[in-house]
Amino acid sequence: MGRFRGGLRCIKYLLLGFNLLFWLAGSAVIGFGLWFRFGGTMKDFSSEDKSPEYFYMGLYVLVGAGALMMAVGFFGCCGAMRESQCVLGSFFTCLLVIFAAEVTTGVFAFIGKDVAIRHVQTMYEEAYNDYLRDRERGNGTLITFHSTFQCCGKESSEQVQPTCPKELLGPKNCIDEIEAIISVKLQLIGIVGIGIAGLTIFGMIFSMVLCCAIRTSRDMI
């Protein structure tokens, strides 16, 4: 009996440590998603009428999952400390939802990468053609693209030179730059999503083992 209680206590502390790590991971995921959405390379698109929603969709799921992770981490600590089967069962269910959300984000980031890249490239080509049709009016979207991706034009930059960043050294094809940058961003999102999904598996295992151990200990009593 003493060994069993010692094992139960060990599992409980492992779950507490997992929940602390899970809470910190949730904070990091929220910061990661918000920085990608409103900071870094993509921040200037948040004010545009046309924005790369395919890219943002994965970020919204990621931030939502991060917020849920923080809440669930606190929830799991309470369940482990109180040794409540009901709370641990609910904790397992929440982890299952987070697992599904993170896997969805990761799969979307990897599989939907080409669609997202083409979507942003199409937005650029539309802004590019609009500028060529009416140069006097100017084009804020085209300027935003050039500033965000630090590029200028497509095959040649001469036709759109007034909209290009002044600090840009040498020609850079925007179609190629969009593909390179969006590809890297989505790969990072996919890696984070799949990584968090893997972490939740350990939480589900710990919660079920502790729940079963608590039930066994009460049956023994």
Side-chain angles (χ1 to χ4, degrees):
M1 185 67 179
R3 290 182 179 179
F4 180 82
R5 294 300 300 177
L8 179 63
R9 190 177 297 108
C10 179
I11 296 171
K12 181 166 70 174
Y13 288 138
L14 282 173
L15 187 58
L16 287 172
F18 167 83
N19 281 298
L20 177 60
L21 180 62
F22 203 61
W23 190 89
L24 293 173
S27 304
V29 167
I30 291 175
F32 178 82
L34 291 177
W35 181 80
F36 261 141
R37 178 61 179 86
F38 300 106
T41 305
M42 302 303 293
K43 64 179 179 180
D44 294 327
F45 286 104
S46 60
S47 61
E48 296 294 330
D49 294 333
K50 295 180 180 180
S51 58
E53 291 301 327
Y54 284 101
F55 178 77
Y56 293 147
M57 192 181 301
L59 293 181
Y60 296 145
V61 174
L62 201 64
V63 170
L68 185 59
M69 285 170 64
M70 293 184 67
V72 169
F74 177 76
F75 193 54
C77 284
C78 294
M81 290 299 295
R82 297 183 62 182
E83 298 186 3
S84 169
Q85 289 180 274
C86 180
V87 176
L88 288 172
S90 300
F91 174 69
F92 177 89
T93 303
C94 291
L95 286 181
L96 191 60
V97 172
I98 293 173
F99 176 81
E102 296 294 354
V103 168
T104 300
T105 300
V107 170
F108 172 82
F110 287 117
I111 295 179
K113 181 173 65 175
D114 293 337
V115 176
I117 289 171
R118 188 58 202 156
H119 180 67
V120 179
Q121 287 175 335
T122 300
M123 287 173 54
Y124 176 77
E125 289 173 348
E126 289 175 355
Y128 184 91
N129 293 330
D130 287 343
Y131 177 78
L132 294 183
R133 281 194 293 266
D134 188 1
R135 300 189 185 192
E136 294 182 359
R137 187 184 65 179
N139 192 301
T141 303
L142 189 62
I143 293 172
T144 299
F145 265 108
H146 289 161
S147 175
T148 299
F149 292 98
Q150 286 297 297
C151 59
C152 186
K154 295 192 287 186
E155 292 81 8
S156 172
S157 62
E158 294 179 2
Q159 293 179 308
V160 292
Q161 191 63 46
T163 65
C164 297
K166 295 180 179 179
E167 66 274 13
L168 186 64
L169 301 176
K172 277 189 178 181
N173 189 315
C174 282
I175 299 298
D176 295 338
E177 289 297 311
I178 288 171
E179 180 177 1
I181 291 175
I182 296 296
S183 179
V184 170
K185 299 291 186 183
L186 287 176
Q187 283 179 358
L188 285 174
I189 292 172
I191 290 170
V192 170
I194 297 298
I196 296 299
L199 183 62
T200 59
I201 293 175
F202 291 99
M204 289 189 285
I205 292 172
F206 287 149
S207 63
M208 282 296 96
V209 170
L210 181 58
C211 190
C212 292
I214 292 170
R215 181 182 301 173
T216 302
S217 68
R218 289 176 180 175
D219 290 342
M220 292 174 65
I221 294 173

